[in-house]
Structure formats: structure tokens, C-alpha cells
Amino acid sequence: MSGFMADGSFTGLSDRADHVRAARPTATAVVHPLVPPAAVNAPVCEPIYQSSAWSFDSLAQAEAVFSGVAVGIPHRAYGSPNHRLLESLLAELEQAESCVTTAGGMSALAAVFWTLLEPGARVIASHDLFGVTAALLGDMQRWGVTTTYVDATDVGVVADALRQSARLVLIESISNPRMRVPDIERLARLAHDHGALLIVDNTLAGPYHCRPITFGADMVVEAATKALAGHHDVVLGAIAARQEIITPMRSLIERAGLGPGAFDVWLARRGTMSYALRQERASANAAQLADWLAARDAIQAVHYPGRTDHPDHEVARRMLTSGYGSMLSLEIDTSHLDVDTFLAALEHIRLVHSLGGAATSLSHAVTMTHRCAGEDRRRELGLHWGFFRMSVGIESIADVISELERALHDAASTER
């Protein structure tokens, strides 16, 4: 029998010159070409397992693979060796028993909600969540799921909310976009005392800076699209937790077709090779940039957990490691500076509805991250026209500062 082996090598007929075969019909030859001999060595780079269908030698082998007795791939909907490798890596990074990948960060959250919630269930969520996450929780109302929003940095407020039964407590390790840092350890104990699970969206901190499971969280969700993959060329989500939690979620993801393609997984795996180096550089850049921005008259406020004036700085010192992350937010004084002129004056710092790339970028809260939140909700969160989230990259920080300085100068010179 000839074909591709699980390790990416070939097996089958030799292509030696002394091996002679009778000419076959073209229609057969193009579908079943002669397979070259297997290589005795292995590729350095992981191959991409693009095949959606996988063959079996026998019914017995098919039964063993489908039942889980033997390691194999029933169908690409169940993943591939690319998926298994990345999931194993992410589980290790998050210090979790198991991990499953999805077609995006939001599909990861959707899988969590659809698996763990039922009509009548209640969620307690941080009021300072990514706007699309709050919108997804709003969508869950049609199935009878309610959400109570609280200040997750106030443990007393969360405790009051838990006096009424709740299934899940949902927070972000660093909130998007106000960069608040809750005490994961205390919230985990509190949630468990009331029979709830603590879920942490770890996208802004990532496992380089924070491992929520080590603080008692039950589950971590990552938009691996962002810093983990790191190059704005893939959309991918991940859920890491105990095996007993991941198993039913994996089944839902497989049945609902929520899994990512092999190429996206391969790209993400390639991106993770430089993840630690990128985060080390970007985090150092962000710390320096936060201090520089805070000294500018046109900037009303800078939100960065590494600054001592941040309201959660002491908590961040315990929750975060190896720096305070590559994300910050800034508030421009729109009474003295024209936002559109500021943006137009930027050359390399681009306006992007994403984060975590190698290049520094800006995202606008009103028109991008929280456009679906509504004006009243944005006002409650303090998100105004001059509020920007900045994803700090790995460029020379001197160049980033120089570009921002020119843009602030040009915008301040514009007639109001």
C-alpha cells in the first residue's frame, strides 16, 4: 500500500530508473501517481497537514482511531497533527491539562458559553470587557442567559453579585481597553466558594505575562490571533482548562465546525517561536512609551499597569510577570488637539482593529473596539472620541516616540 505517512514521509513504489511500469491511463495516473521512496531523515520545519480526509488501512484501524484507542485523525474537523502540536504547546504555556483551538477568539468564547450555559443560567462579567464579548453575552439573552456586569477589580462588589447563584464569572487578565487588572487569585476563591467557574480572557497579557490557571482560574481563553501568532496573518482562538472541561467543548467544536484550518494553525505555531522575544521587547517598549506619553500636555491620561499611578499597579505586580505587557491606552485632550490631524500625521503607526503585531498600532474605542456597546455604555466606561488603545510593537522605541511627537505637534497646531 502506498501513500503519505503520519510523520509526513512517503511510502510506496520506488522511482528508481530500473523500476519499469507499463504506461497507465492518464485518468488513473494523475489521480494515483507513483509515490517516491520515504526519506530517511525528517524535515526541520513542521509540515502542513492540509488534507481534510484521512484514510484507514482497515475497519479495525478506523474503529480504533474513532474510539480513541489509537492515535489518529478521523477527519480534519477533528483536528490534525498541526492542531495537536499547537494545542499541546498552548496547554504547557497556560499550565493547563488540556487545550483546544478554534477559528477565532470569539468562537472560543462562544464554545465556552454554549457548552457551560443553559436557559436560566447567570453570568457575572467584568463591566470593562472587550465590546464584542459583551455583545456576544447579549446575544445569549435569547436563550435565557442573563449577565450581571460588575467592577471586577472590586472584590466586594463581585462578592455581592455572587450572593445570587451564578454559573460563570468572566474577567480579563488585563481589561480591554482600560487596562484594569483584577485579582485573579481572590476572585477564583470567591467564585469557587459560590459554586461558580472563573473564566479569564488572557488575550492582552498572554501566557508570557500571566498564567491565570496558576492563580486558581478554571479556564483561560486566548485570541491567539493577537500576540501569540503575532503577525496579523491568522485568526485563531484557544481554550485551556482541565481535561474534564475541554472534552465536551472539543466535541461541540468538532460537531459545529468551529475549528481552525491547518494552515492557520501552522502559521500560529510558527509565530509562537518568536513569541517570548517579541513580548520581551514590546513590553519594554510599552513601559518606556507610557512614561513618555504621560509627560505630554496633550495627553489627558495614560493607562498602563506598569506605572505606579495605575489604580491596579500593586495587583499587577502580583498577577503579571516579566513586565506589564505591550498594551496601553491613552486619552487625547480633544479640546486642544485634533484627532483626525493626529492620525493623518502618523506614518508607520497605523489605525488597526486588532493588536499584538510586530508593528505599533492604534485602535479607536468609539468606532472600533466598543462601537457595538452604545453611547450610554461607552460614556459609563469613559470611552470618548480621544480614547485610543495602543499595541506597542518591537521597533526602535526612539522612532516610535519621534513619530508620535511629530503627530502631536501637527495636531496641536491645527486651528480648532
Side-chain angles (χ1 to χ4, degrees):
M1 184 173 183
S2 64
F4 291 92
M5 302 297 287
D7 64 357
S9 61
F10 300 102
T11 183
L13 298 173
S14 170
D15 60 353
R16 292 178 302 169
D18 60 353
H19 186 94
V20 179
R21 277 184 66 101
R24 299 180 295 166
T26 300
T28 298
V30 295
V31 174
H32 301 287
L34 301 183
V35 180
V40 297
N41 57 342
V44 172
C45 179
E46 174 196 357
I48 304 171
Y49 293 86
Q50 193 63 35
S51 181
S52 61
W54 290 68
S55 65
F56 303 91
D57 289 341
S58 65
L59 291 177
Q61 186 188 68
E63 174 61 28
V65 169
F66 273 92
S67 64
V69 173
V71 177
I73 308 297
H75 185 274
R76 218 293 295 147
Y78 295 80
S80 72
N82 297 114
H83 293 71
R84 299 296 176 259
L85 178 61
L86 181 63
E87 289 167 357
S88 175
L89 169 63
L90 295 180
E92 180 181 4
L93 293 181
E94 301 289 358
Q95 291 293 280
E97 288 183 5
S98 186
C99 174
V100 62
T101 50
T102 68
M106 296 313 301
S107 61
L109 283 168
V112 169
F113 298 157
W114 293 341
T115 304
L116 296 179
L117 300 175
E118 64 285 323
R122 177 168 170 263
V123 177
I124 296 174
S126 169
H127 70 114
D128 189 16
L129 285 176
F130 177 45
V132 184
T133 301
L136 181 60
L137 285 169
D139 291 337
M140 297 296 294
Q141 292 180 10
R142 73 182 71 179
W143 290 289
V145 174
T146 60
T147 302
T148 300
Y149 289 98
V150 298
D151 179 356
T153 64
D154 189 329
V155 177
V157 169
V158 179
D160 288 342
L162 280 167
R163 291 178 179 175
Q164 180 183 345
S165 178
R167 177 69 173 125
L168 305 177
V169 176
L170 174 63
I171 63 173
E172 295 170 338
S173 52
I174 301 178
S175 74
N176 184 359
R178 296 196 65 84
M179 308 298 149
R180 299 301 302 270
V181 181
D183 191 326
I184 299 170
E185 192 168 24
R186 293 183 66 188
L187 292 178
R189 290 198 299 267
L190 190 61
H192 298 160
D193 287 345
H194 291 81
L197 298 175
L198 178 65
I199 302 171
V200 181
D201 184 332
N202 198 37
T203 299
L204 264 62
Y208 182 79
H209 294 293
C210 184
R211 292 177 170 177
I213 287 176
T214 65
F215 293 111
D218 297 285
M219 193 180 323
V220 171
V221 175
E222 295 273 6
T225 305
K226 309 305 194 295
L228 277 163
H231 294 85
H232 294 315
D233 56 6
V234 62
V235 177
L236 195 82
I239 309 163
R242 299 187 301 276
Q243 185 67 56
E244 65 193 68
I245 293 176
I246 293 298
T247 296
M249 287 185 188
R250 186 183 295 279
S251 296
L252 173 70
I253 290 164
E254 291 169 353
R255 289 193 295 265
L258 296 177
F263 187 51
D264 279 353
V265 173
W266 183 88
L267 283 173
R269 165 60 192 131
R270 185 183 66 169
T272 59
M273 292 184 186
S274 61
Y275 172 61
L277 290 174
R278 287 185 284 107
Q279 284 305 109
E280 180 182 13
R281 175 65 175 262
S283 176
N285 279 352
Q288 188 173 341
L289 186 57
D291 289 340
W292 182 85
L293 286 167
R296 310 276 77 78
D297 292 337
I299 305 299
Q300 287 181 320
V302 174
H303 306 277
Y304 184 66
R307 284 183 54 81
T308 56
D309 59 0
H310 189 281
D312 308 316
H313 179 66
E314 290 304 314
V315 174
R317 289 180 60 188
R318 291 187 286 109
M319 296 295 105
L320 305 179
T321 60
S322 303
Y324 296 89
S326 58
M327 302 298 302
L328 61 86
S329 291
L330 60 140
E331 298 185 48
I332 292 174
D333 184 353
T334 55
S335 66
H336 293 90
L337 188 148
D338 184 77
V339 169
D340 291 325
T341 304
F342 167 72
L343 293 174
L346 295 172
E347 181 181 1
H348 298 295
I349 301 173
R350 302 171 71 179
L351 192 61
V352 176
H353 183 44
S354 192
L355 59 95
T360 299
S361 64
L362 286 168
S363 184
H364 193 230
V366 173
T367 61
M368 294 182 175
T369 64
H370 284 68
R371 69 175 296 115
C372 56
E375 186 176 350
D376 291 341
R377 182 67 178 148
R378 289 195 296 267
R379 187 180 301 111
E380 290 175 9
L381 293 173
L383 305 180
H384 53 87
W385 195 252
F387 195 106
F388 287 88
R389 184 191 68 199
M390 177 173 280
S391 174
V392 183
I394 61 175
E395 312 98 323
S396 163
I397 192 59
D399 288 340
V400 174
I401 288 175
S402 179
E403 182 171 334
L404 287 169
E405 190 166 35
R406 289 194 305 271
L408 289 171
H409 177 269
D410 290 354
S413 302
T414 303
E415 291 291 334
R416 299 295 293 152

